[in-house]
């Protein structure tokens, strides 16, 4: 394929090598696999050279180094695509730039992650509040819902009718708590990829942690994350189905095991997010339930 300017690169997780030709000329790029090896080629435009004449060939540049956003953005247009944020690049890129801007102020990647988490939580405060109010209302209705199950447990149709009447009477929509959470999921996933891809976290210490890109060597953050997730669940009403309730209760343990091997910078984000969620849910529960 041909393209004006452009570049070609071979990438690893945190590092890459890129060949960047002159941006003002059209170049020919190709790739193939030969005996299990990847081969990239670039052909610069041909130029005729008369006998005894001289010409100036267009310049080419080679970059070999880390995927530091502050550096690669200025090297060549689109070179920031070497940082793999997946299909949510359009959301992850601004989050990455915001995180770098916060770092330029606080001069600590750990505190930058904490501040960014707080800002995201504030941005979604109203949406989260709507979801948490719905859950708090459901929790308040739990005793009355249990009484309906005891009274109409054998008549599923009647139980469903009486349950909907109770929701309508108390002006509670169980589904209203789901939409705000769904809206936030792309942001959470994007931030996950941002923190996972950040070479800036590599070998960066924070508190007792020696490397924010490596798992917590003492498993303290994953354990705090699991406990905070369990506490947050306890603030919400359990699912009506016993099997679903058991699955939900097992999630803190399952997530704790997964997060034992996650980069500690990513676990730090989840811990802060959970603590803020607990605080917000507790305040709302207090207001609604008294």
């Amino acid at each position: 394929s041909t393209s004006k300017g452009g570049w070609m690169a071979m990438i690893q997780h945190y590092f890459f090598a890129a060949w960047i030709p002159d941006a003002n000329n059209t170049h020919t790029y190709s790739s193939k696999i030969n005996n299990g090896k990847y081969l990239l080629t670039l052909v610069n435009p041909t130029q005729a050279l008369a006998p005894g004449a001289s010409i100036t060939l267009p310049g080419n540049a080679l970059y070999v180094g880390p995927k530091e956003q502050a550096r690669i953005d200025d090297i060549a247009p689109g070179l920031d695509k070497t940082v793999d944020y997946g299909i949510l690049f359009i959301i992850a890129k601004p989050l990455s730039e915001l995180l770098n801007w916060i770092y330029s102020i606080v001069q600590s990647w750990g505190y930058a992650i904490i501040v960014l988490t707080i800002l995201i939580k504030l941005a979604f405060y109203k949406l989260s509040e709507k979801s948490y109010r719905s859950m708090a209302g459901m929790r308040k209705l739990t005793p009355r819902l249990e009484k309906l199950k005891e009274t109409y447990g054998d008549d599923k149709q009647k139980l469903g009718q009486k349950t909907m009447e109770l929701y309508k009477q108390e002006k509670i929509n169980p589904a209203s708590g789901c939409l705000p959470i769904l809206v936030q999921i792309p942001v959470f996933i994007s931030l996950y990829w941002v923190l996972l891809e950040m070479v800036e976290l590599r070998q960066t210490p924070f508190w007792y942690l020696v490397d924010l890109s490596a798992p917590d060597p003492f498993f303290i953050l994953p354990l705090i994350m699991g406990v905070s997730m369990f506490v947050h669940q306890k603030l919400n009403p359990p699912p009506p189905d016993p099997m679903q309730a058991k699955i939900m209760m097992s999630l803190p343990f399952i997530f704790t095991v997964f997060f034992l091997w996650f980069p500690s910078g990513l676990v730090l984000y989840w811990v802060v997010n959970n603590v803020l969620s607990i605080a917000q849910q507790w305040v709302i529960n207090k207001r609604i339930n008294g």
Side-chain angles (χ1 to χ4, degrees):
S1 63
T2 59
S3 172
K4 185 175 181 179
W7 46 268
M8 62 181 186
M10 298 292 285
I11 64 174
Q12 294 178 329
H13 186 184
Y14 289 131
F15 302 90
F16 74 105
W19 187 257
I20 308 161
D22 182 74
N24 298 315
N25 288 297
T26 299
H27 311 277
T28 302
Y29 298 87
S30 64
S31 64
K32 67 178 180 178
I33 302 176
N34 186 16
N35 295 326
K37 297 181 179 180
Y38 290 89
L39 178 65
L40 297 177
T41 60
L42 180 149
V43 179
N44 291 329
T46 58
Q47 296 190 34
L49 179 62
S54 64
I55 60 172
T56 301
L57 296 175
N60 291 265
L62 172 66
Y63 176 86
V64 180
K67 301 177 184 176
E68 293 180 349
Q69 285 286 352
R71 180 181 299 180
I72 63 178
D73 283 349
D74 299 329
I75 296 177
L79 197 61
D80 56 341
K81 297 294 194 302
T82 55
V83 184
D84 185 12
Y85 293 142
I87 60 174
L88 294 174
F89 183 90
I90 193 171
I91 301 175
K93 176 64 174 176
L95 286 176
S96 175
E97 292 178 348
L98 177 58
L99 184 58
N100 277 272
W101 177 77
I102 295 171
Y103 171 78
S104 69
I105 298 173
V106 300
Q107 293 298 304
S108 166
W109 285 112
Y111 286 116
I113 292 172
I114 293 174
V115 172
L116 179 61
T117 308
I118 294 172
L119 291 178
I120 291 175
K121 201 66 180 174
L122 288 174
F124 286 111
Y125 181 84
K126 285 298 180 183
L127 276 174
S128 299
E129 184 180 38
K130 185 176 181 181
S131 175
Y132 293 158
R133 282 188 177 278
S134 175
M135 288 187 235
M138 290 288 293
R139 186 177 184 84
K140 188 176 181 180
L141 289 183
T142 299
R144 296 169 69 180
L145 290 171
E146 291 295 331
K147 191 172 182 179
L148 286 178
K149 286 182 184 178
E150 293 174 4
T151 307
Y152 304 102
D154 297 330
D155 190 343
K156 299 295 183 183
Q157 185 175 354
K158 191 72 173 178
L159 175 61
Q161 180 184 342
K162 290 294 183 181
T163 301
M164 294 307 297
E165 289 177 1
L166 180 59
Y167 288 154
K168 187 175 181 180
Q169 177 186 339
E170 298 295 331
K171 298 179 181 179
I172 291 177
N173 182 3
S176 65
C178 300
L179 182 59
I181 296 175
L182 292 176
V183 172
Q184 298 176 56
I185 286 177
V187 176
F188 294 150
I189 295 176
S190 299
L191 187 55
Y192 164 84
W193 283 109
V194 168
L195 297 177
L196 200 63
E197 284 286 306
M198 283 191 67
V199 66
E200 290 85 351
L201 300 185
R202 185 173 180 266
Q203 298 179 352
T204 299
F206 183 66
W207 296 341
Y208 68 93
L209 301 166
V210 295
D211 187 350
L212 283 172
S213 70
D216 185 337
F218 305 105
F219 306 125
I220 295 174
L221 275 180
L223 291 175
I224 295 175
M225 191 282 302
V227 171
S228 63
M229 190 174 180
F230 176 79
V231 172
H232 192 212
Q233 279 191 356
K234 283 297 184 181
L235 291 174
N236 298 318
D241 182 66
M243 182 58 68
Q244 289 182 5
K246 289 181 180 178
I247 293 174
M248 291 299 293
M249 289 302 295
S250 68
L251 287 182
F253 173 77
I254 294 172
F255 272 74
T256 299
V257 173
F258 283 155
F259 274 61
L260 291 176
W261 318 114
F262 273 38
S264 52
L266 183 61
V267 184
L268 176 64
Y269 156 71
W270 278 104
V271 168
V272 176
N273 182 70
N274 284 354
V275 170
L276 294 174
S277 298
I278 289 170
Q280 187 178 7
Q281 183 74 73
W282 184 83
V283 170
I284 291 173
N285 286 356
K286 199 75 174 174
R287 288 175 182 173
I288 292 179
N289 300 324

